[in-house]
Amino acid sequence: MLSMAPLSNLAGFPVEASHQFRINGQSFRLNASGVKAIELAVELHHRRTSLQSLLPLRSKIRDVEFDSCKAALSYLIEMTSNNNLRVIAIWLRGRCGGYVGTQTIAKFAQCEDERMRYLAAKAMQSMGVWSTLASMAKNDPSERVRRIAATRPPRKFRERLCDFSKNVESIPHPPKQPDLFWSTRIDVRNPMRTKSVEFIRRLLERIRNLVHT
């Protein structure tokens, strides 16, 4: 059973008792993976504030990449009043990929905090928000942010295949010469009870080659 009260206290935003919330007009339900992701973000924030090592949380961070917590992290980014916690949530959201919450992340392309814009740009790289990134690469006041936003999206497979084929040369090889002689292991004088499809195919092929010679 999920407990909503601790999340309200830790993350700094209210959660409905029905576990329902909305992101960019879509309705989602807070599941166990989402709760774990929010708790991880809060734990990371506490460790950074108290200057503790983050290494013990490596396995939890890796788990977030495979859990279904994209919507929960997006909700945390949108609703929390703690900017330091929001920065961590943006970083975690960027590690998950996918498209849920793209509008939420894109809102921070215009914020005053350079650190938040930089992390938002990195998150949008993994989420594929290329139009916003193109604008940031051109207009952001920070060279660091412009540089990360200007990273090109991965090229389509068809384009990469076309470029590859331009550098591939066909190697000519002589046509196969028909063999006009039967193997000494094949005896066609004695009738065979069963003739396989392969045997018949080879026999017809040799007859055709003899006719055309």
Side-chain angles (χ1 to χ4, degrees):
M1 186 69 180
L2 299 179
S3 177
M4 299 294 101
L7 290 180
S8 300
N9 296 332
L10 291 173
F13 60 84
V15 182
E16 294 182 7
S18 63
H19 305 178
Q20 298 281 341
F21 62 94
R22 296 183 67 82
I23 292 291
N24 305 140
Q26 291 182 284
S27 180
F28 295 93
R29 185 177 180 84
L30 190 63
N31 56 18
S33 296
V35 173
K36 283 173 55 179
I38 293 174
E39 291 176 342
L40 174 61
V42 172
E43 188 174 1
L44 285 167
H45 170 58
H46 287 167
R47 281 183 171 269
R48 287 191 61 185
T49 303
S50 58
L51 302 179
Q52 298 181 52
S53 173
L54 304 181
L55 290 178
L57 302 180
R58 285 183 301 179
S59 61
K60 292 183 178 181
I61 294 172
R62 285 195 297 266
D63 290 342
V64 164
E65 299 176 13
F66 304 100
D67 288 340
S68 57
C69 55
K70 302 176 182 65
L73 286 172
S74 300
Y75 189 66
L76 173 60
I77 293 166
E78 191 168 282
M79 297 299 295
T80 185
S81 58
N82 188 321
N83 275 339
N84 291 325
L85 180 58
R86 179 177 286 119
V87 165
I88 293 172
I90 292 174
W91 177 72
L92 286 175
R93 178 63 191 85
R95 298 179 70 91
C96 300
Y99 302 103
V100 176
T102 52
Q103 296 179 34
T104 297
I105 300 293
K107 291 177 184 177
F108 297 96
Q110 304 294 333
C111 70
E112 297 181 358
D113 189 337
E114 178 185 337
R115 174 187 54 171
M116 200 171 297
R117 295 200 312 274
Y118 179 83
L119 289 174
K122 290 194 69 173
M124 285 188 286
Q125 288 281 350
S126 68
M127 299 166 72
V129 192
W130 307 119
S131 57
T132 304
L133 285 169
S135 177
M136 294 180 72
K138 183 178 180 180
N139 302 317
D140 196 274
S142 168
E143 180 182 355
R144 179 169 174 255
V145 176
R146 290 197 304 271
R147 186 168 58 250
I148 188 63
T151 303
R152 292 185 177 182
R155 298 176 63 203
K156 295 181 179 180
F157 174 76
R158 177 176 295 181
E159 295 176 359
R160 290 185 282 121
L161 184 61
C162 289
D163 287 347
F164 174 77
S165 62
K166 292 177 183 177
N167 299 318
V168 175
E169 297 180 359
S170 60
I171 301 176
H173 59 86
K176 181 181 178 181
Q177 297 296 329
D179 186 4
L180 302 181
F181 301 96
W182 289 101
S183 171
T184 56
R185 294 176 295 176
I186 299 178
D187 186 4
V188 296
R189 293 173 299 176
N190 298 323
M192 300 177 65
R193 291 185 178 179
T194 58
K195 295 180 176 61
S196 67
V197 175
E198 176 64 19
F199 177 84
I200 296 173
R201 187 190 65 78
R202 292 175 58 191
L203 182 60
L204 293 174
E205 182 180 1
R206 290 183 184 277
I207 293 173
R208 181 177 60 81
N209 291 331
L210 289 170
V211 170
H212 289 283
T213 54

